[in-house]
Amino acid sequence: MKLAHTIGLIENLPLFQGLDAPLVEKIAKAARVMRVLKRDIVYRKGDVCDGFYLVSYGRIRLSLFSSQGLEKPIQIAGMGNSFGDATMLQELAHYTTGIAVEDSGLVFVPKDVVTELLQSDGRLAMRMLANLAYRLHLMVDDIDDFLLQPPAARLATYLLRLIPSRSIENRNVQLFLHKHLMAAQLNLKPETLSRYFREFCNQGLIELDGSRITIFSVDRLCQYGSSENMKGAAGKRKHKLL
């Protein structure tokens, strides 16, 4: 029953969908299904990387920490995403710390199994290459959206990414990072982020209730940011889960 459950999980992960049954079973036999609670540490910077992780549900943030203990989120891995694979393939230690944003389910695949499968199945090798290339593209997007744009456009883009598609209707979204972490991800001071949240509320663009936000008009939010890069930002990261 345990093996059947693991096979079911793996078959539903985008990276492994469509693989032959014997390959899926081989991965399942070697894989380790993990459940982590909110704020649990999956691994720390400097830990040996002897495999990679896929998220079956929940979110994991990958962060860097300064010598003063300040956290800088680099990536949020959500359902269907993988992390640790680039480090594993380079045979390096983990260079970020993985922390559960919320209660999450993970599938850990050991390095030796991955190496064997990459040598025997070209489809998996191509999928992993495409996955890594896609994540590199997302990192470039983040630099553009959260470093090079004005503060208002950074916040607007961040909010637009939280909704699945563009709509003129009211949309409710949930902030899954504390505001100080969100500020760090947007390369803003916390007080600057708070000021723009207030401005958005005063302009009637959003309503803020704790971590829950109502977006009254996606189109107005795009226009408020006055950035061409923001058009189509809503649901921008929903097109592909790898």
Side-chain angles (χ1 to χ4, degrees):
M1 181 64 70
K2 185 177 179 180
L3 178 60
H5 174 70
T6 305
I7 289 174
L9 281 178
I10 289 173
E11 286 177 332
N12 286 317
L13 292 168
L15 185 63
F16 298 132
Q17 284 178 354
L19 292 182
D20 295 337
L23 285 178
V24 172
E25 184 175 346
K26 187 168 188 174
I27 296 169
K29 286 180 177 178
R32 185 168 80 248
V33 177
M34 304 169 56
R35 289 176 176 81
V36 292
L37 301 178
K38 183 177 180 178
R39 299 188 185 92
D40 278 356
I41 304 294
V42 180
Y43 58 75
R44 298 182 185 276
K45 180 179 179 179
D47 286 351
V48 174
C49 182
D50 53 0
F52 77 105
Y53 301 82
L54 297 111
V55 183
S56 57
Y57 66 87
R59 292 184 180 93
I60 305 295
R61 73 176 181 268
L62 311 180
S63 295
L64 295 174
F65 287 85
S66 72
S67 56
Q68 292 78 34
L70 298 177
E71 182 179 353
K72 166 70 173 178
I74 301 299
Q75 178 190 350
I76 304 294
M79 185 176 66
N81 295 152
S82 63
F83 59 96
D85 38 359
T87 309
M88 175 195 69
L89 292 171
Q90 291 178 297
E91 299 185 340
L92 298 174
H94 286 292
Y95 57 89
T96 60
T97 296
I99 308 167
V101 176
E102 57 197 28
D103 294 353
S104 303
L106 304 175
V107 176
F108 174 78
V109 184
K111 177 183 174 180
D112 55 350
V113 175
V114 176
T115 301
E116 182 181 346
L117 291 175
L118 289 178
Q119 293 172 346
S120 62
D121 191 289
R123 291 174 301 170
L124 182 59
M126 290 303 296
R127 286 187 186 187
M128 291 195 73
L129 283 173
N131 184 28
L132 294 171
Y134 178 69
R135 294 217 306 274
L136 177 61
H137 176 74
L138 294 184
M139 290 183 68
V140 173
D141 277 351
D142 283 350
I143 292 172
D144 187 12
D145 292 339
F146 300 149
L147 185 61
L148 302 180
Q149 300 302 320
R154 298 181 205 177
L155 176 56
T157 301
Y158 186 92
L159 296 177
L160 289 168
R161 286 186 183 184
L162 296 178
I163 60 179
S165 60
R166 294 189 63 183
S167 170
I168 60 172
E169 300 175 354
N170 292 3
R171 301 303 297 265
N172 295 315
V173 298
Q174 187 82 26
L175 298 177
F176 51 84
L177 289 180
H178 289 295
K179 287 183 183 176
H180 74 280
L181 292 175
M182 183 178 167
Q185 189 171 12
L186 300 183
N187 297 289
L188 298 173
K189 293 182 178 180
E191 57 268 29
T192 302
L193 178 63
S194 295
R195 185 169 71 248
Y196 279 101
F197 264 124
R198 288 195 300 271
E199 186 171 328
F200 280 20
C201 290
N202 292 338
Q203 292 288 333
L205 297 170
I206 65 172
E207 183 178 77
L208 184 60
D209 181 16
S211 62
R212 185 175 297 278
I213 295 177
T214 299
I215 298 174
F216 293 118
S217 171
V218 172
D219 285 341
R220 283 191 63 209
L221 194 58
C222 287
Q223 293 166 8
Y224 187 87
S226 66
S227 169
E228 289 298 318
N229 290 344
M230 291 172 55
K231 295 179 179 179
K236 177 178 181 179
R237 302 205 166 190
K238 305 293 185 181
H239 300 310
K240 187 175 181 180
L241 286 175
L242 284 183

